[in-house]
Amino acid sequence: MNRIFLLMLVIGLPLILIGTIFNWSDIPMFLLCAVAIIALSSFIGRATESIAIVSGPRVSGLLNATFGNAVELIISFFTLKAGLIGIVLASLTGSVLGNLLLVLGFSFFLGGIKYKRQNFSIHDARYNSGLLIFAVIVAFVIPEIFSMSMDEKQTITLSIGVSILLIALYLAGLFFKLVTHRGVFSSNDQEKESEEKEQAEWSRGKAIVILLLSTVAVAFVSERLVHTFETLGDQFGWSELFIGVIVVAIVGNAAEHFSAITMAMKNRMDVAVEISVGSTLQVAMFVAPILVLASLFMPQSMPLVFTIPELVAMVTATFLVINLCNDGESNWFEGLTLLAAYLIIGIGFFLL
Amino acid sequence: MNRIFLLMLVIGLPLILIGTIFNWSDIPMFLLCAVAIIALSSFIGRATESIAIVSGPRVSGLLNATFGNAVELIISFFTLKAGLIGIVLASLTGSVLGNLLLVLGFSFFLGGIKYKRQNFSIHDARYNSGLLIFAVIVAFVIPEIFSMSMDEKQTITLSIGVSILLIALYLAGLFFKLVTHRGVFSSNDQEKESEEKEQAEWSRGKAIVILLLSTVAVAFVSERLVHTFETLGDQFGWSELFIGVIVVAIVGNAAEHFSAITMAMKNRMDVAVEISVGSTLQVAMFVAPILVLASLFMPQSMPLVFTIPELVAMVTATFLVINLCNDGESNWFEGLTLLAAYLIIGIGFFLL
Amino acid sequence: MNRIFLLMLVIGLPLILIGTIFNWSDIPMFLLCAVAIIALSSFIGRATESIAIVSGPRVSGLLNATFGNAVELIISFFTLKAGLIGIVLASLTGSVLGNLLLVLGFSFFLGGIKYKRQNFSIHDARYNSGLLIFAVIVAFVIPEIFSMSMDEKQTITLSIGVSILLIALYLAGLFFKLVTHRGVFSSNDQEKESEEKEQAEWSRGKAIVILLLSTVAVAFVSERLVHTFETLGDQFGWSELFIGVIVVAIVGNAAEHFSAITMAMKNRMDVAVEISVGSTLQVAMFVAPILVLASLFMPQSMPLVFTIPELVAMVTATFLVINLCNDGESNWFEGLTLLAAYLIIGIGFFLL
């Protein structure tokens, strides 16, 4: 699989360069960029993992907290710079929905076909569900509802306040998980053992170089990708909302999808849940507020106010996931339920 | 009790026939039809049970899945045919609310007066709560919210998609409960024993004949019943909403009310919960989508879009029930809480 | 601490008297009244406790049920009499939010800094979460949504019905906790022992006199306090909503804040949770409906209809608290999450 990703890069990147110079049309460029980003995501993921293995859990946690959704962040940054605020909010929504319903759904479903019941830490599940409710039900819903009777300036002020609190609580949560209550999380012996056995794929130096190069490459490709959105919408009759929620989200999270499902099929559901729900929390509590704050230095500020369908989709998905996860067990039918919910929401955004 | 039901039929059916010929006024006709339907429901229920006992759990599950809400389905079908879409959606709402709050409320309350604490399977409770959230919070809320910015055609398309997914997941759920994870559900020895002892009331042949005859009779009576609604509203000042949510729902679910409460008072709370929550899921995931699909062949298509009060009532009831059920225990006070919630919602619909 | 409260009274009350006679301006009067009410709350609390210790748990439960939020009730009563319905509803909202997020948040956070994990009864947590959902999600949401398509008279009728049901269920809950299911709640030996050791601060006679005098004094001061609200809003640019939700709520609940946090830091989290969540339920199921019913005898009736931001804030806070509490465990990070939610909502109301 890793070779395929390398091949995708070796062929893809030069083609994008050529295409940019000779001004190819947007549809093939979109496909090339999507393929390149998926391959680069896999490199970023593996480089992060390699550094993590040689650096111990705290550095690993911080690394993952910042680079885990680097691709997402970079694409969104360039979309924001292009003034496409609607697509940024939509792709954040799509990232939350994709991770919660699609990634977790496939993990539960495919893992559940192989194993009758799979277990994951109930402590992690509770920690995650508390933060999911905080982020989606409190921190996303309050600005939405309150901004209805606010002017633009008040809405931006509220968005800034909420964003700072989201980031602060996200960092406090890392401190909680990695420092004060470390023993509580992922402390089962079996996992420790398997961790010890794990060998870094690359040396620390090589991993850092790959990480930096891949990040730069993603930035370059993302900027090109963003400019294809308009044509994409016109050509296929897709709305801005559908492009953001479904298309961008799937491209931006492809690497996570792949690794979560792999873990689920190895019966390491703990890791699969951590990737999908952890990634959701990172998008909601770190990527989204960073983008809100970054937008203050751009011509057009982005408030933390989603469209009503986006918000309702995230809220209902959150309730479903919390309910299915809080027993620390999964099976194929729970996976199918999540996938069905994703389909319902996907059809909705397609028709909108 | 069974003799009373027989008596109700032997007297009721001929009177309805006579009334239809001589064109009696609608109020006595409504009462006659209601009585006949309650009695017929009991026959359908007993016939289904008899066939189930001699046929093993899988056939039994499928039978229950299709005939469990046959009366509801037939009444709704004729209401739909009469073009009264508002009453159909209202009676689906009423069925959900009646089963979740009234039936479960009385079961918990009356059972709880007799026994200090009653238990039911926590596995069933989790399975049920996951599907309740999927059906009510995801599959009912999404079309409601999304349809606000859709035209009629898009709304119908979304309703069709959601309906197909609801039915598919409902059938997958049966497969999960009856085939792949059968051992998990209702596997305690005590129950098995009591099942073995159970004797079918009627032979299979007799049961099938009774089932078919009762179903035909319900169809006939339902058609007559539907035509009394308009007069009923004018006479008592009841809104279409109140007739659907409270009146039709109580008539259509009377048999289930009766048997769930009987089971609760015999301390078989597992069965009582299964009847009330199971029936809710059947209405939400099978009856409602079937009606949406059936309406496509009628002059006026029915979207899966409830009124806001209907939807909010179902959503809040779902949250309350899930919260009270997820510990697998019940007592009289939990029952009273459910009944109080039903009263609040009932007063609301009455005043609306 | 108790001496400070006494000092605050001995100095504060005469000053308020003098200020009223010489017509001091509203800002110093507001501060004096706030200080006096906080001190008086502490006296009411200690008098109630003294009577409770010598009277056994049932009288204690009833006493607490009626005097627990006496200050809140009295302030609201005079605000209602002054026709400031908006502030009454806002201060009820603030009381719910303050107890659920601020008091519980500080208890979890400060207790959690001292102890790694703290436990409280899971039975209490379930009982509380069921009633929280009933009160906030069902009984507050239904009139809100239904009243949108109702005229004023219907809204008042619905509010009366809901209020009566809230009070009835609240009393039934006391009966459940204190009579039929007493053993289930707070029956752990350790607590019993510590209860036995507790000595009443005052004799029953002295306590009753202090209780009555303090209540009269609160009533007198509250009436003065209410008249400062308008100036307060003009002077600081605070909206009616912000005064009600944040300022009045903090003054009215100061005593509870203090005692809950004290208990949490003594590792008696059971008591801290009982004070904060129990007080929330009392406000929602007893104080609020009493005020609705009392308003019927005043020139302007108060419906049980909050503003949309108020309702959404209470609903989201309820979901967060239920999720964090239902495992019967707390830590500093859960406390921080609650405090962050309070800040988000507080900023929202400030900007509104």
Side-chain angles (χ1 to χ4, degrees):
Chain A
M1 194 68 206
N2 289 345
R3 288 196 185 173
I4 298 175
F5 284 134
L6 188 61
L7 202 73
M8 277 156 71
L9 269 195
V10 170
I11 300 175
L13 282 183
L15 280 177
I16 293 174
L17 214 65
I18 297 168
T20 307
I21 296 165
F22 292 96
N23 228 340
W24 289 0
S25 78
D26 279 342
I27 305 300
M29 282 308 283
F30 167 77
L31 290 175
L32 280 174
C33 291
V35 164
I37 286 177
I38 292 171
L40 286 165
S41 305
S42 130
F43 279 89
I44 291 180
R46 281 150 61 202
T48 313
E49 213 177 305
S50 292
I51 303 173
I53 287 170
V54 295
S55 312
R58 289 190 199 182
V59 175
S60 155
L62 285 171
L63 251 185
N64 188 50
T66 42
F67 275 92
N69 278 288
V71 176
E72 182 82 27
L73 191 58
I74 294 169
I75 300 183
S76 297
F77 185 80
F78 284 103
T79 318
L80 196 61
K81 226 182 117 196
L84 303 168
I85 289 183
I87 291 193
V88 175
L89 289 170
S91 80
L92 291 171
T93 306
S95 206
V96 167
L97 294 175
N99 279 309
L100 283 186
L101 299 179
L102 201 60
V103 179
L104 203 61
F106 270 123
S107 300
F108 281 7
F109 182 68
L110 296 175
I113 281 178
K114 212 165 156 193
Y115 304 91
K116 189 166 181 180
R117 273 196 227 175
Q118 297 185 292
N119 295 291
F120 45 93
S121 156
I122 210 158
H123 276 106
D124 275 322
R126 276 177 197 157
Y127 171 85
N128 287 334
S129 76
L131 282 189
L132 271 180
I133 291 212
F134 174 79
V136 178
I137 314 283
V138 180
F140 284 1
V141 170
I142 294 292
E144 182 93 15
I145 300 293
F146 279 58
S147 72
M148 287 174 184
S149 20
M150 280 179 175
D151 61 28
E152 210 177 314
K153 212 189 133 200
Q154 290 170 318
T155 304
I156 292 292
T157 311
L158 179 56
S159 298
I160 295 170
V162 173
S163 297
I164 292 171
L165 285 166
L166 276 168
I167 295 172
L169 197 70
Y170 183 66
L171 297 178
L174 289 182
F175 185 69
F176 174 74
K177 269 183 100 164
L178 300 175
V179 184
T180 72
H181 284 63
R182 225 195 112 198
V184 180
F185 295 96
S186 61
S187 66
N188 45 334
D189 292 346
Q190 178 216 335
E191 208 168 322
K192 262 188 200 157
E193 238 173 274
S194 71
E195 257 180 71
E196 279 167 40
K197 277 182 214 153
E198 261 180 326
Q199 287 242 331
E201 189 180 354
W202 299 312
S203 71
R204 187 197 290 237
K206 195 175 167 191
I208 290 176
V209 171
I210 292 178
L211 188 61
L212 291 178
L213 283 182
S214 304
T215 308
V216 171
V218 163
F220 162 72
V221 178
S222 296
E223 210 195 348
R224 190 65 200 82
L225 177 78
V226 168
H227 294 295
T228 68
F229 290 160
E230 211 174 311
T231 316
L232 210 67
D234 294 348
Q235 201 80 8
F236 295 103
W238 292 349
S239 66
E240 214 182 46
L241 218 55
F242 184 74
I243 293 175
V245 175
I246 308 294
V247 181
V248 177
I250 288 180
V251 173
N253 292 289
E256 280 139 307
H257 288 223
F258 182 71
S259 54
I261 294 164
T262 310
M263 285 303 175
M265 295 189 70
K266 284 182 189 163
N267 206 16
R268 294 188 61 187
M269 194 50 88
D270 251 333
V271 186
V273 170
E274 189 52 36
I275 293 173
S276 72
V277 183
S279 183
T280 306
L281 289 175
Q282 206 174 103
V283 168
M285 300 185 71
F286 192 75
V287 175
I290 285 278
L291 289 168
V292 169
L293 297 178
S295 80
L296 298 176
F297 305 97
M298 295 186 184
Q300 213 188 334
S301 298
M302 180 176 84
L304 197 60
V305 175
F306 297 88
T307 64
I308 297 284
E310 285 168 350
L311 187 73
V312 170
M314 286 191 281
V315 167
T316 56
T318 298
F319 279 122
L320 185 63
V321 167
I322 287 178
N323 189 275
L324 294 183
C325 284
N326 68 0
D327 59 351
E329 265 185 37
S330 71
N331 55 56
W332 68 263
F333 185 64
E334 290 189 352
L336 205 63
T337 307
L338 292 170
L339 293 173
Y342 188 77
L343 273 177
I344 287 178
I345 292 172
I347 296 173
F349 278 114
F350 180 76
L351 291 170
L352 217 59
Chain B
M1 195 69 205
N2 289 344
R3 287 197 186 173
I4 297 173
F5 283 134
L6 188 61
L7 203 71
M8 277 156 71
L9 269 195
V10 170
I11 298 176
L13 282 184
L15 279 177
I16 293 174
L17 213 67
I18 296 169
T20 308
I21 295 166
F22 291 97
N23 230 340
W24 289 0
S25 78
D26 278 343
I27 306 300
M29 283 308 284
F30 167 76
L31 291 175
L32 280 174
C33 290
V35 164
I37 285 177
I38 293 171
L40 286 166
S41 304
S42 130
F43 278 89
I44 291 180
R46 282 149 63 201
T48 313
E49 214 177 303
S50 292
I51 302 174
I53 288 170
V54 294
S55 311
R58 291 190 197 180
V59 175
S60 155
L62 285 171
L63 250 185
N64 188 50
T66 43
F67 276 92
N69 278 287
V71 175
E72 182 82 28
L73 191 59
I74 294 169
I75 299 182
S76 297
F77 185 81
F78 283 103
T79 319
L80 195 62
K81 226 182 117 196
L84 304 168
I85 288 182
I87 290 193
V88 175
L89 288 169
S91 81
L92 291 170
T93 305
S95 206
V96 167
L97 295 174
N99 278 309
L100 283 186
L101 300 178
L102 200 61
V103 179
L104 203 61
F106 270 124
S107 300
F108 281 8
F109 182 68
L110 296 175
I113 281 179
K114 212 165 156 192
Y115 303 91
K116 190 166 181 181
R117 273 196 227 175
Q118 298 186 291
N119 295 290
F120 46 91
S121 156
I122 210 159
H123 275 106
D124 275 322
R126 277 176 196 158
Y127 171 85
N128 287 334
S129 75
L131 282 189
L132 270 180
I133 291 213
F134 174 79
V136 178
I137 315 284
V138 179
F140 284 1
V141 170
I142 294 292
E144 182 92 15
I145 300 294
F146 280 57
S147 70
M148 285 173 185
S149 20
M150 280 181 175
D151 60 28
E152 210 177 316
K153 210 188 135 199
Q154 290 170 318
T155 305
I156 293 291
T157 310
L158 179 55
S159 299
I160 296 171
V162 173
S163 297
I164 292 171
L165 285 165
L166 276 167
I167 296 173
L169 198 69
Y170 183 66
L171 297 179
L174 289 181
F175 185 69
F176 175 74
K177 269 183 98 164
L178 301 176
V179 183
T180 72
H181 285 63
R182 225 195 112 197
V184 181
F185 295 95
S186 60
S187 67
N188 45 335
D189 293 345
Q190 178 215 336
E191 206 169 322
K192 262 187 199 155
E193 238 173 273
S194 71
E195 257 180 72
E196 277 167 42
K197 276 183 214 152
E198 261 180 326
Q199 286 243 330
E201 188 181 354
W202 299 313
S203 72
R204 185 197 289 237
K206 195 176 168 188
I208 291 176
V209 171
I210 291 177
L211 187 61
L212 291 179
L213 283 181
S214 305
T215 308
V216 171
V218 164
F220 162 71
V221 178
S222 294
E223 212 197 346
R224 190 65 200 80
L225 178 78
V226 167
H227 294 294
T228 68
F229 290 160
E230 211 176 309
T231 315
L232 210 66
D234 294 346
Q235 201 81 7
F236 294 102
W238 292 349
S239 66
E240 213 182 47
L241 220 54
F242 183 74
I243 294 176
V245 175
I246 308 294
V247 181
V248 176
I250 288 182
V251 173
N253 291 291
E256 279 139 307
H257 288 223
F258 182 71
S259 53
I261 293 164
T262 311
M263 284 302 175
M265 297 189 69
K266 284 183 188 163
N267 205 16
R268 294 188 61 186
M269 196 50 90
D270 250 334
V271 186
V273 170
E274 189 54 35
I275 291 173
S276 71
V277 183
S279 183
T280 307
L281 290 175
Q282 205 173 103
V283 169
M285 300 184 71
F286 192 75
V287 175
I290 286 277
L291 289 168
V292 169
L293 297 179
S295 80
L296 298 175
F297 304 98
M298 295 185 185
Q300 214 187 336
S301 298
M302 181 175 83
L304 197 59
V305 175
F306 296 88
T307 65
I308 296 285
E310 286 169 349
L311 187 73
V312 170
M314 285 192 282
V315 167
T316 57
T318 297
F319 279 122
L320 184 63
V321 167
I322 286 177
N323 189 275
L324 295 183
C325 284
N326 67 1
D327 59 352
E329 264 185 39
S330 71
N331 55 55
W332 68 262
F333 184 63
E334 291 189 353
L336 205 62
T337 307
L338 292 170
L339 293 173
Y342 188 76
L343 272 176
I344 287 178
I345 293 172
I347 296 172
F349 278 114
F350 181 75
L351 291 170
L352 217 60
Chain C
M1 196 68 207
N2 290 343
R3 284 195 188 175
I4 298 174
F5 283 134
L6 189 61
L7 203 72
M8 277 155 72
L9 268 195
V10 170
I11 299 176
L13 281 184
L15 280 176
I16 293 174
L17 213 64
I18 296 168
T20 309
I21 294 165
F22 291 97
N23 230 340
W24 289 1
S25 78
D26 280 342
I27 306 300
M29 283 308 284
F30 167 77
L31 290 175
L32 280 174
C33 291
V35 165
I37 285 178
I38 291 171
L40 285 167
S41 304
S42 129
F43 278 89
I44 291 180
R46 281 150 62 203
T48 313
E49 215 178 303
S50 292
I51 302 174
I53 288 170
V54 295
S55 311
R58 289 190 198 181
V59 175
S60 156
L62 284 171
L63 251 185
N64 188 52
T66 43
F67 276 91
N69 278 288
V71 176
E72 181 81 28
L73 191 59
I74 293 168
I75 300 182
S76 297
F77 186 80
F78 283 103
T79 319
L80 195 62
K81 225 181 118 195
L84 303 169
I85 288 182
I87 291 193
V88 175
L89 289 169
S91 81
L92 291 170
T93 305
S95 205
V96 167
L97 294 174
N99 279 308
L100 283 186
L101 300 178
L102 201 61
V103 180
L104 203 63
F106 270 123
S107 301
F108 281 7
F109 182 68
L110 296 175
I113 281 177
K114 212 166 157 192
Y115 303 92
K116 190 165 181 181
R117 274 196 227 176
Q118 297 185 293
N119 296 290
F120 45 92
S121 155
I122 209 159
H123 276 106
D124 275 322
R126 277 176 196 156
Y127 171 85
N128 287 335
S129 76
L131 282 188
L132 271 180
I133 291 213
F134 174 79
V136 179
I137 315 283
V138 178
F140 285 1
V141 170
I142 294 292
E144 183 92 15
I145 300 292
F146 280 58
S147 71
M148 286 174 184
S149 19
M150 280 180 175
D151 61 28
E152 211 178 314
K153 210 189 133 198
Q154 290 170 318
T155 304
I156 292 292
T157 310
L158 179 56
S159 299
I160 296 171
V162 173
S163 297
I164 292 171
L165 284 165
L166 276 168
I167 296 173
L169 198 69
Y170 183 65
L171 297 178
L174 289 182
F175 185 69
F176 175 74
K177 268 183 101 165
L178 300 175
V179 184
T180 72
H181 284 62
R182 225 196 111 197
V184 180
F185 296 96
S186 61
S187 66
N188 44 335
D189 292 346
Q190 177 215 338
E191 206 170 322
K192 261 188 200 156
E193 239 172 274
S194 70
E195 256 179 72
E196 278 167 41
K197 277 184 213 150
E198 262 181 325
Q199 286 243 331
E201 188 181 355
W202 298 313
S203 72
R204 186 199 290 236
K206 196 176 169 189
I208 291 176
V209 171
I210 291 178
L211 188 61
L212 292 178
L213 283 181
S214 305
T215 308
V216 171
V218 163
F220 162 71
V221 178
S222 295
E223 210 195 347
R224 190 68 199 79
L225 178 78
V226 168
H227 294 294
T228 69
F229 289 160
E230 211 173 310
T231 315
L232 210 67
D234 293 347
Q235 201 80 7
F236 295 101
W238 292 349
S239 66
E240 212 183 48
L241 219 54
F242 183 74
I243 294 176
V245 175
I246 308 295
V247 182
V248 177
I250 288 181
V251 173
N253 292 290
E256 280 139 307
H257 289 223
F258 182 71
S259 54
I261 293 163
T262 311
M263 285 301 175
M265 296 189 70
K266 284 182 189 162
N267 206 14
R268 293 187 61 185
M269 195 50 90
D270 251 334
V271 186
V273 170
E274 189 53 35
I275 292 173
S276 73
V277 183
S279 184
T280 307
L281 290 175
Q282 206 174 104
V283 169
M285 300 184 71
F286 192 75
V287 176
I290 286 278
L291 289 168
V292 169
L293 297 179
S295 81
L296 298 176
F297 303 98
M298 295 185 185
Q300 213 188 336
S301 299
M302 181 175 83
L304 197 61
V305 175
F306 297 87
T307 65
I308 297 284
E310 286 169 349
L311 187 73
V312 169
M314 286 192 280
V315 167
T316 56
T318 298
F319 279 122
L320 185 62
V321 168
I322 286 177
N323 189 275
L324 294 183
C325 284
N326 68 1
D327 59 351
E329 265 186 37
S330 71
N331 54 56
W332 69 263
F333 184 64
E334 290 189 353
L336 205 63
T337 307
L338 292 169
L339 293 174
Y342 188 76
L343 272 176
I344 287 178
I345 292 172
I347 296 172
F349 278 113
F350 180 76
L351 291 170
L352 216 60

